[in-house]
Amino acid sequence: MLNRTPLRRVGAAGMLVAVLLTLGACGSTRNYAPVEDRSPARAPVVNATPTAVPVPGTATALPAGESGKVLPGAENAGKPGYYTVKPGDTMIRIGLETGQNWKDLVKWNNLDNPNVVEVGQVLRVVPPGSDAGASTRPVSTARAETRPLDAKPAPVAASGAPAPAATPAPAVSAAPVAVREGDDDLSWQWPAVGSVIGSFEEGKSKGLAIAGKAGDPVLAAADGRVVYAGSGLRGYGNLVILKHNATYLTAYAHNQALLVKEDQSVRRGQKIAEMGSSDAERVMLHFEIRKQGKPVDPAKLLPAR
């Protein structure tokens, strides 16, 4: 008969050794080096701002570039005769705010792409070579157009005979509006016959709101030239801007139809648009008079009714 006692003792001892080795292995893991993260480094995230689709003839204001970037014209910031672009600005709005034709601003600043300007960019808003404080450049007296909506060469004679459609070249050169430098040389008239439903208020309302019906005539308040006709200025709807001299602009907003084009000469009392409600809650004409770009109360310049 075999003696099995030694085998049982050896088996027990072996199990004890195995347990001790296992415990030792677990306890020694604290001496292992930490696992390295060898995954590829992540590229920095660039906060890119998408470029807005520009409205033809206007500029889209984009945020300034990377920190430290020197924007065009920065050396002229704060100087008289210069304008620093703000968020939401367009070339049309800058022209209205400074009393200039936006096309002149593009030319004076040598802008390669007039559809894009950057916030913080500094633009010249007076003609090169002029006094920095104010513009003295008269509206250009480009050749008058001969379409029916354009300016007529002279008032209708007592006989009531209309002027001929085709005018010889010398007579045409005399037809464009003569732009004068003096503030008091303008003869103002009301741009619409409706009642005033909103008055000028410094810092709140930049002009008058005049009531009317859709299609009512909107008239030029004084002789001038069209420097903008379109819908590229938010809040104004279909808009006409006239430049009368080196001092005054007028703006006619919320029209349903525009009857004039840019660079066209117009006469005081000429129908330039039809009243509407574009970008407005009701049919009305929003009318502004700007003196060197600053809104002034039209009621103080228009004749008493």
Side-chain angles (χ1 to χ4, degrees), residues 10 46 54 95 113 117 135 210 215 231 233 238 267:
V10 171
V46 178
N113 184 359
V117 291
S135 170
I210 303 175
S231 58
L233 192 56
N238 294 322
R267 292 289 186 184

Side-chain angles (χ1 to χ4, degrees), residues 156-162:
V156 177
S159 62

